[in-house]
Amino acid sequence: MMRVLFPLLILSILLISSSSTATRMAFLKVDVGARAAGMGGAFIAAGDDISSIWSNPAGLSMIKTEEIAFHHQDWLQDTNYECLAYAYPAKNLTFGISLNYLSLSQIPEVLSAANGDPLPTNRLFGVSDMSGMFVVSKQVSKNISIGSGFKYLQEQLDDNIANAGALDLGCLYTPNNSLCLALSIQNIGYRIQMDKDEFTLPLMYRTGAAWKNEVACFGIELNKARNRELRGCAGMELKISTPITVRCGYQFLTDSEHGSFKDMPEKVSLGFGVKIGRTAMDYAFAPYGVLEDTHRISVSTKFGQQRFTAKKHVSIEKEEVKNNKEAKIERNASGDMVIVTTDNVALRDGPGTNYPVIARVKTGTRLMVVDKQKKMFYKVVLPDGTCGWICSIFVE
């Protein structure tokens, strides 16, 4: 499967990138989600929650429970960008929907006089962009996930309206529990008509990698949009305590006049996240020089029962045995039950990172808690009866 998916994506990139027609609906190139923005946009391979619906539809296959998210962005020059998303993990597929709306009102109308001078009319008008997307994602093997998103797009400039449809494609490849490689193509679609002019969508193709462990995530990405030079970004996410995560990012290869380190403050983004129970709030700040600073806020929450357990390294027979053991433990448990939220978490012989690792626990595993006396570690029992200590950051 891997031999087929990645060559197809690469071939599509080479074929479609040859067009140089003018583009519209530039809002499709804007990073959505405070978590992604805090990492400088290097999120195509790092995304494993509902916000991946906007960066790489294949990442949506990583979620284990229903999620809903709201994103607000104060963008350039009094532009507001609002997004709402919902994801539902079924037994074999993950579904997601999103609505995005960007608006800028109170724009003064200025016409051109016969001699070429500007001619104000004292009239105000507005501009808006809207997209609705339906996403389907699937983990096709223990190492590969794929996804596709179908978009309906609308742009309004005063009384002129243009409509279009577009397609997003994405693929994730995880050769091991720490490394993730990703490719995606966004905004594949036909030309659109606005009044008497014809435009194309801002086709974008992205590739990146991410490395994750229990407390940190590092991501790097290269992306190329139609009529824009190749760009790159890198970012880091670090969990510093049970509820708090900090992020930073840096953009490089931005353009010819901003290619030196003297402009570094305009390329750095910062962010943080706070998680309380099953609800997370993320914030990101990114300066844009004379175009003002941008602020992004995202709020997401998980709800409902876990629909399935990740099958990356578990056969069907083993999965059934595991589920039976989990059910038996839960019936006999007198303590709390928690769910592991990160893959390959270490189960240690004692409450600290200096103790030896006795097992590795996969995402979605349900554990019975027998001791919460330690601040950062819980003593838990695995479905097979193994007892050990796990860092509380990685369970909920």
Side-chain angles (χ1 to χ4, degrees):
M1 178 67 73
M2 193 63 191
R3 296 176 181 175
V4 176
L5 291 174
F6 273 82
L8 281 178
L9 284 171
I10 294 172
L11 178 59
S12 300
I13 289 172
L14 294 176
L15 290 176
I16 302 173
S17 63
S18 59
S19 174
S20 59
T21 309
T23 64
R24 292 296 288 263
M25 299 188 179
F27 81 107
L28 295 172
K29 296 185 287 187
V30 178
D31 291 324
V32 180
R35 186 182 172 201
M39 295 179 65
F43 202 63
I44 181 176
D48 55 6
D49 60 8
I50 191 171
S51 59
S52 62
I53 197 173
W54 296 302
S55 60
N56 184 0
L60 206 63
S61 65
M62 300 293 182
I63 71 169
K64 303 299 179 291
T65 62
E66 294 176 73
E67 291 188 38
I68 190 169
F70 173 75
H71 171 74
H72 169 76
Q73 181 168 325
D74 286 330
W75 203 43
L76 309 177
Q77 300 297 319
D78 299 322
T79 304
N80 293 315
Y81 196 7
E82 319 291 346
C83 306
L84 180 66
Y86 166 75
Y88 177 85
K91 183 176 182 181
N92 297 313
L93 297 172
T94 302
F95 301 97
I97 56 173
S98 76
L99 293 173
N100 298 8
Y101 183 74
L102 180 145
S103 62
L104 175 61
S105 59
Q106 305 299 312
I107 304 174
E109 183 182 55
V110 179
L111 303 178
S112 178
N115 59 0
D117 294 335
L119 181 63
T121 64
N122 296 323
R123 176 177 174 269
L124 301 177
F125 68 96
V127 177
S128 66
D129 289 292
M130 185 272 289
S131 72
M133 182 164 62
F134 174 73
V135 173
V136 179
S137 182
K138 179 177 178 60
Q139 186 174 353
V140 295
S141 73
K142 68 177 182 180
N143 301 118
I144 301 173
S145 295
I146 59 175
S148 61
F150 306 91
K151 296 178 178 177
Y152 168 76
L153 308 170
Q154 183 182 91
E155 180 169 276
Q156 182 169 358
L157 175 60
D158 199 7
D159 295 328
N160 298 315
I161 298 177
N163 300 289
L167 175 68
D168 289 358
L169 298 174
C171 182
L172 284 177
Y173 175 55
T174 53
N176 54 55
N177 289 326
S178 299
L179 180 64
C180 183
L181 307 175
L183 281 173
S184 78
I185 309 175
Q186 296 177 302
N187 312 320
I188 304 171
Y190 295 101
R191 296 182 180 183
I192 57 177
Q193 192 82 21
M194 172 70 80
D195 197 10
K196 297 180 181 180
D197 299 320
E198 190 176 68
F199 302 91
T200 59
L201 297 176
L203 178 76
M204 178 179 288
Y205 31 97
R206 309 168 66 173
T207 182
W211 181 84
K212 306 176 185 180
N213 62 13
E214 297 175 3
V215 297
C217 173
F218 301 90
I220 188 168
E221 178 181 324
L222 293 174
N223 60 73
K224 176 70 173 69
R226 178 179 277 141
N227 294 344
R228 192 178 74 182
E229 297 178 359
L230 180 69
R231 294 190 177 187
C233 50
M236 179 182 70
E237 181 178 65
L238 181 65
K239 295 179 182 179
I240 60 175
S241 68
T242 300
I244 300 175
T245 301
V246 295
R247 306 178 183 98
C248 65
Y250 178 73
Q251 296 187 2
F252 54 93
L253 299 177
T254 52
D255 51 51
S256 57
E257 65 267 21
H258 293 85
S260 63
F261 283 97
K262 68 180 181 179
D263 299 300
M264 181 178 289
E266 296 182 15
K267 300 179 180 182
V268 174
S269 59
L270 301 172
F272 69 88
V274 178
K275 185 175 182 181
I276 302 175
R278 307 182 79 179
T279 300
M281 190 280 290
D282 297 294
Y283 168 80
F285 166 81
Y288 274 79
V290 296
L291 296 178
E292 301 181 355
D293 301 331
T294 64
H295 305 271
R296 297 170 170 91
I297 298 176
S298 299
V299 179
S300 63
T301 186
K302 300 177 181 179
F303 58 95
Q305 298 296 318
Q306 183 174 330
R307 303 301 181 190
F308 65 98
T309 304
K311 300 177 177 61
K312 280 189 175 182
H313 307 289
V314 185
S315 65
I316 295 177
E317 293 78 9
K318 291 182 178 179
E319 186 71 24
E320 292 176 351
V321 173
K322 175 182 172 182
N323 289 339
N324 291 335
K325 289 182 177 180
E326 287 181 357
K328 184 177 179 181
I329 289 176
E330 189 168 1
R331 286 194 302 269
N332 297 330
S334 57
D336 297 332
M337 297 296 295
V338 295
I339 299 175
V340 179
T341 59
T342 305
D343 200 19
N344 203 34
V345 178
L347 185 73
R348 299 183 181 273
D349 195 39
T353 56
N354 56 322
Y355 288 90
V357 177
I358 58 178
R360 292 281 179 179
V361 188
K362 300 178 180 63
T363 303
T365 304
R366 297 175 64 86
L367 306 172
M368 183 178 68
V369 180
V370 296
D371 188 352
K372 282 188 176 182
Q373 298 302 313
K374 301 298 180 180
K375 183 177 180 180
M376 292 294 295
F377 285 84
Y378 294 163
K379 189 174 184 180
V380 297
V381 179
L382 294 182
D384 63 2
T386 303
C387 188
W389 295 82
I390 193 168
C391 183
S392 59
I393 294 176
F394 309 114
V395 299
E396 63 178 21

